[in-house]
Amino acid sequence: MISLNDDLIVGKGAHRTCYRHLEAHNLCIKVSHEGFSQEQDQELAYYKRLSNRNIQWQLLARYHGTVHTNIGTGYVFDLVIDANNQPAKTLEHYLNQPNSEALAEPLLNLKDYLLHNLVITKEIKPRNIACVNNNGTIERCVVVDDIGNTEFFPISNYVSSSAKRKINRKWQRFEASLNELGLSLN
């Protein structure tokens, strides 16, 4: 059993809290808040689908299984690490910094990655994207949460053209929200 405490918290969302893994610096443990385990199950089913398709994982935090913790079942994922060996900060953090236009290229690379690997997200939000910072330069943006297909009939899981349309629609909404914050990816 792994003992987790508040000192290990990397991030906290509405549905889960993310802790640094005690035994591996490049992994984290997500624990669902009470009442949100069904969402976790849906996300894990989608991860299994991606794994079976042998996608490339460089811009998506990979799932590694479960562990028992003192606060419940923990779900082990890649922890996105900066060049200084610290957990990467979210896009939300960097949108409030000077020179946020330097985020455009890594974000466009993320869009290409999602389309190429047909990775569908529930929503694309700045708090669900970690930005790998190497001495002041954002090298890549990695999706760390909220993946999966929420369609009642998940046709996008089986028809690539439908998946690409869905990814593009979600990306357009995401880009519109970035534009409102003053960041244009064009």
Side-chain angles (χ1 to χ4, degrees), residues 51-71:
S51 187
N52 289 341
R53 287 188 12 231
N54 293 316
I55 70 158
Q56 300 168 7
W57 292 96
Q58 67 267 30
L59 299 184
L60 176 63
R62 188 175 203 160
Y63 171 65
H64 296 281
T66 61
V67 293
H68 297 290
T69 78
N70 59 314
I71 55 176

Side-chain angles (χ1 to χ4, degrees), residues 7 9 15 22 24 44 52 59 76-77 86 104 137 140 162 172 176:
D7 293 338
I9 292 176
H15 304 156
L22 289 170
L44 295 181
N52 289 341
L59 299 184
V76 180
F77 289 86
Q86 293 301 308
T137 301
R140 59 192 168 99
S162 178
Q172 286 172 346

Side-chain angles (χ1 to χ4, degrees), residues 109-172:
N109 289 340
L110 177 59
K111 178 185 178 185
D112 291 343
Y113 168 85
L114 295 173
L115 287 165
H116 177 76
N117 290 283
L118 302 176
V119 175
I120 298 171
T121 58
K122 293 176 186 172
E123 289 185 87
I124 305 172
K125 295 202 175 239
R127 70 174 176 255
N128 295 330
I129 298 172
C131 299
V132 177
N133 184 337
N134 187 358
N135 298 317
T137 301
I138 302 301
E139 291 184 338
R140 59 192 168 99
C141 295
V142 180
V143 176
V144 295
D145 203 11
D146 242 6
I147 70 153
N149 191 345
T150 57
E151 295 171 326
F152 188 69
F153 295 110
I155 189 132
S156 300
N157 286 350
Y158 306 99
V159 180
S160 61
S161 60
S162 178
K164 287 180 181 181
R165 281 193 302 275
K166 186 174 199 65
I167 293 164
N168 275 316
R169 275 194 314 272
K170 288 181 184 246
W171 190 269
Q172 286 172 346

Side-chain angles (χ1 to χ4, degrees), residues 67-103:
V67 293
H68 297 290
T69 78
N70 59 314
I71 55 176
T73 301
Y75 302 89
V76 180
F77 289 86
D78 290 338
L79 177 62
V80 182
I81 302 286
D82 276 340
N84 64 2
N85 228 9
Q86 293 301 308
K89 293 185 178 10
T90 65
L91 175 61
E92 191 172 52
H93 169 83
Y94 287 106
L95 288 173
N96 300 318
Q97 303 294 317
N99 302 324
S100 62
E101 64 276 356
L103 295 164

Side-chain angles (χ1 to χ4, degrees), residues 19-28 76-77 79 81:
Y19 300 85
R20 283 199 89 146
H21 198 295
L22 289 170
E23 299 163 5
H25 80 284
N26 62 336
L27 297 176
C28 65
V76 180
F77 289 86
L79 177 62
I81 302 286

